[in-house]
Amino acid sequence: MTQNYRPVWAEVDLSALKHNLKIIKNYTASEIMPIVKANAYGHGAVEVVRALKNEGIKRFGVAFLEEALELRRHFPDLNLMIIGPTLPQYSDILVKEDLIPEICQYKQAEALSAAAVKLKKTIRIHIKIDTGMGRIGLREEALEEIKKMFGLPGLFLEGIYTHLATADSPDLAYAYQQLAKFDNLYRQLKKEGIIIPLRHVANSSAILRLPESHYELCRPGIILYGQLPASGLGEKAGFKPVMSLKAKIVHLKTIETGESVSYGRSFVATRPTRVATLPLGYADGLRRDLSNRWQVIVNGKKAPIIGKVCMDQTMIDVTEIEDVKLGDEVVLIGDGQYPEISAGQMAKMLDTISYEILCGIGQRVPRIYTNP
Ligand SMILES: *Cc1c(COP(=O)(O)O)cnc(C)c1O
């Protein structure tokens, strides 16, 4: 590891990750394929995969080829699926590295088949069906296209899957329509003698509330990391946030009434104010919209962000907190200990979803792993 000179870090609690996996297993008996795209939602894909592999997980999902290749270097034996599209011209590398691509176009299947024949190997593929997400996948043409693919040499049709657009909404009618389309296609394939062993549909929301969607394999993402897919959904399940964002105070001063803090002078002191500076900012994922709004924890007490969040620095008001010293630890995004400043709460304030908060924690913030 390179030296970490700046006192800013994200703490990743691997025991919370394992705890969340156990909870998921209480919801389903299907095989679990954790989704570790975007560096495991910002938690660090290699370490997350290592921890879950030790719990017996053998299959993981990533978004694109580079992510799969990084994992392949560390884990030669795992089943690695790429859930997003891969261009046909990269078929050779998919075959050589024994990766499992999704197929949403016949062209991909053709190119993969040619590569597999050339390299004298068989490649497993999972066919993506668009049942209503409107993103990628085969639609009305699916049955005919899959029949053609089934005849191609070097391919093993291991899986078929779809993605739900509204599994987290109060009304599940659309999700049931998507499942019906999926089931209908599967029945037709079966009639043609095409049996695909792994069906998968369920993301975190569907794992929690749509047992009909679990099939042979489930694809949890956000709940593994201890955040809820939507507010209220899975609240009582007992998931624990895995990642927290921390920093140390690097500067302290008292300013007078009328003096201001940061760009644009959006904060002007109305009393003598003790100001602490933290060495991180929006380039680390502490979004600028949090200026004058978010609260952090210093010595167990809340302190508000004052003034605009800068690229690399942020100021907080610690007037109300006794004995604050240089080097004191500050929590900016809480784990289970500070649910009031969780990634979910931050997402609410910023009118987004916790996914975006977690993925947004900058590459330049080192991850520290605890409780392996
Ligand atoms: C990201 C993703 C998931 C995981 O979704 P969560 O809501 O985080 O559980 C599952 N399937 C696909 C296709 C995805 O893109």
Side-chain angles (χ1 to χ4, degrees), residues 35 37 41 83 135 163 203-204 219-222 355:
I35 301 300
K37 61 194 178 191
Y41 293 40
I83 58 177
R135 189 164 67 178
H163 195 49
N203 59 3
S204 292
R219 308 189 301 261
I222 197 76
Y355 302 67

Side-chain angles (χ1 to χ4, degrees), residues 227-262:
Q227 300 295 328
L228 305 181
S231 104
L233 192 51
E235 221 158 30
K236 299 207 168 69
F239 293 112
K240 290 185 185 162
V242 175
M243 185 157 58
S244 52
L245 179 62
K246 298 183 178 177
K248 287 181 177 173
I249 293 172
V250 292
H251 187 74
L252 265 175
K253 62 175 173 287
T254 302
I255 62 172
E256 298 306 321
T257 304
E259 290 189 299
S260 62
V261 169
S262 197

Side-chain angles (χ1 to χ4, degrees), residues 245 261-262 266-268 273-278 280-282 285-298 302-310 313-318 321 330-333 341 346 349-350:
L245 179 62
V261 169
S262 197
S266 65
F267 176 87
V268 179
T273 302
R274 192 88 176 130
V275 179
T277 301
L278 307 176
L280 80 171
Y282 59 77
L286 190 68
R287 295 252 300 262
R288 195 164 172 275
D289 277 358
L290 298 167
S291 301
N292 294 305
R293 296 173 80 192
W294 190 243
Q295 311 239 21
V296 302
I297 304 285
V298 185
K302 276 189 182 171
I305 289 179
I306 53 174
K308 293 290 184 203
V309 171
C310 307
Q313 296 177 69
T314 299
M315 278 61 75
I316 57 174
D317 179 347
V318 293
I321 307 173
V330 176
V331 185
L332 293 115
I333 297 177
I341 57 161
M346 185 179 275
M349 176 175 282
L350 297 171

Side-chain angles (χ1 to χ4, degrees), residues 340-357:
E340 67 276 28
I341 57 161
S342 68
Q345 290 303 118
M346 185 179 275
K348 251 186 218 157
M349 176 175 282
L350 297 171
D351 199 16
T352 181
I353 51 178
S354 57
Y355 302 67
E356 199 184 3
I357 303 298

